[in-house]
Amino acid sequence: MEKKNVFAQIHEMETQVESFKDELGTMKQAVKELMEDNQRLLTENERLRKILKREAQGEAASSARPEPYNVLSEPKKKDEEAGDMVGEGYDNLARLYHEGFHICNVYYGHLRTEGDCLFCLSFLNK
C-alpha cells in the first residue's frame, strides 16, 4: 500500500511542477510585454520632451524678434520635399533599430533581446 502512496505523491508533484512551469511562462510573457511598453514609453517621453523644449525655444525666439516675410523667396519644390521625407523616414527607422526595436516586417516594433537581427540589417542596407 505504501508504494502506491509514493507514486501518487510523485504524480501529484509532477502536475504541480507542470502547473508552476505554465505560470512561469505566463509571467515571463507579461514581463516581456511590460518591458516593451516601458521602452516604448521612455522613447515617446524623450521625444515629447524634445518637442516641448523645441517649441518653448521657438516661442521665446519668435516673441523676441519677428521674422520679416520675404516675398521673393521661392517655396520648396516637391522633389526636395520628397527627398527630405525619405531621408527622415530612414533616419527614424535607423534610430528605432539602434534603440533596440525591430524594424523588419517579421518582428516590427518588438524589443530586440538577442542582439542584431539579420532581417532588420538587410532592410537598413537596402
Side-chain angles (χ1 to χ4, degrees):
M1 199 60 143
E2 191 173 296
K3 290 181 182 179
K4 288 183 180 180
N5 190 16
V6 170
F7 284 120
Q9 287 178 342
I10 290 174
H11 180 69
E12 184 179 332
M13 286 176 64
E14 284 178 340
T15 56
Q16 287 178 350
V17 167
E18 289 175 8
S19 172
F20 290 146
K21 182 183 175 219
D22 291 341
E23 280 185 57
L24 183 63
T26 304
M27 291 175 74
K28 192 175 177 182
Q29 182 63 31
V31 167
K32 179 182 174 188
E33 290 172 3
L34 287 173
M35 287 177 65
E36 288 175 351
D37 285 344
N38 188 34
Q39 183 64 36
R40 182 184 53 81
L41 290 172
L42 286 172
T43 304
E44 184 178 359
N45 192 11
E46 181 181 322
R47 184 180 58 83
L48 290 173
R49 285 180 193 266
K50 286 179 183 177
I51 291 171
L52 183 63
K53 185 177 180 181
R54 193 176 338 142
E55 286 180 359
Q57 289 174 349
E59 287 177 6
S62 66
S63 65
R65 54 181 166 84
E67 294 184 22
Y69 178 73
N70 188 354
V71 179
L72 300 175
S73 65
E74 295 181 17
K76 273 190 169 181
K77 295 179 182 176
K78 290 183 181 180
D79 293 338
E80 291 175 2
E81 288 177 1
D84 290 344
M85 293 174 77
V86 170
E88 182 180 344
Y90 177 83
D91 290 343
N92 286 338
L93 287 175
R95 179 182 50 81
L96 284 174
Y97 181 76
H98 290 295
E99 286 177 358
F101 291 99
H102 283 277
I103 59 168
C104 60
N105 62 343
V106 181
Y107 299 109
Y108 182 79
H110 291 301
L111 192 63
R112 283 188 300 119
T113 56
E114 299 179 2
D116 290 333
C117 171
L118 294 178
F119 296 116
C120 293
L121 291 175
S122 68
F123 183 75
L124 280 175
N125 290 331
K126 283 185 182 178

